[in-house]
């Protein structure tokens, strides 16, 4: 066998078929963009020649072009909070939005301690792990109202301020107001 026949793939091999497909694709591309087709052909030729000449480059190229390996360690999945408690009887954020602090306090005042604790648990309002131990319903109500107010106000600085009525020019207290002619 000659040296050339050893380096050239068999006409029926998968590599030969892939080389023919690449050649046909470059020829088609050359019809619409000959400069890009020529550039791609040169790049592919240089890469293939270097990979054939340098085993280290060939391994690095193979590794870079290989499909990513599946992860061996599973990603931590964020689990929803599981609570042994029943869902809250009321939705405190909705009540607060509809009837304000006074309305929320009134509705919470109608509930017993366990129902208040259900609300605390459902909405994650026991950040210091103390509220579930409290025996005084008023103290638990204070926690709920405080958490609802703070969460509702969170981000208010980015939502803009309500428009304030502006005083017409010339009113008292306006430093730009001119004194009336005497």
């Amino acid at each position: 066998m000659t040296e050339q026949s050893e380096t050239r793939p068999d006409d029926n091999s998968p590599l030969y078929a892939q080389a023919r497909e690449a050649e046909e694709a470059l020829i088609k591309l050359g019809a619409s963009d000959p400069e890009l087709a020529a550039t791609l052909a040169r790049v592919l030729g240089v890469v293939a020649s270097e990979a054939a000449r340098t085993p280290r480059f060939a391994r690095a190229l193979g590794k870079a072009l290989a499909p990513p390996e599946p992860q061996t360690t599973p990603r931590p999945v964020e689990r929803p909070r599981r609570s042994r408690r029943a869902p809250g009887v009321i939705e405190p954020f909705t009540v607060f939005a509809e009837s304000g602090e006074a309305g929320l306090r009134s509705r919470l005042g109608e509930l017993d301690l366990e129902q208040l604790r259900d609300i605390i648990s459902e909405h994650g309002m026991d950040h210091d792990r103390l509220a579930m131990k409290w025996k005084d319903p008023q103290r638990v109500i204070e926690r709920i109202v405080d958490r609802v107010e703070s969460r509702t106000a969170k981000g208010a600085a980015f939502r803009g301020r309500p428009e304030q009525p502006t005083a017409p020019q010339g009113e008292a207290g306006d430093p730009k107001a001119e004194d009336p002619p005497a």
Side-chain angles (χ1 to χ4, degrees), residues 21-37:
E21 287 175 14
E23 179 184 20
E24 290 172 9
L26 282 171
I27 291 171
K28 283 182 186 176
L29 179 60
S32 62
D33 193 344
E35 190 174 317
L36 178 59

Side-chain angles (χ1 to χ4, degrees), residues 97-168:
E98 292 172 354
S99 53
E101 181 184 343
L104 178 59
R105 284 183 187 279
S106 171
R107 292 283 306 273
L108 292 173
E110 299 169 359
L111 305 178
D112 65 34
L113 184 59
E114 288 305 310
Q115 290 172 320
L116 294 171
R117 286 179 177 164
D118 291 341
I119 293 170
I120 292 272
S121 175
E122 179 181 10
H123 295 284
M125 297 178 176
D126 195 15
H127 60 277
D128 54 6
R129 301 187 187 270
L130 294 175
M132 297 301 274
K133 299 174 186 173
W134 293 338
K135 307 257 187 254
D136 180 18
Q138 281 308 117
R139 196 170 181 191
V140 178
I141 289 172
E142 284 301 318
R143 171 61 64 95
I144 295 171
V145 171
D146 178 57
R147 294 286 91 204
V148 169
E149 285 178 336
S150 69
R151 289 183 188 173
T152 302
K154 192 171 197 169
F158 301 103
R159 289 193 289 260
R161 298 181 182 169
E163 291 186 25
Q164 307 241 343
T166 56

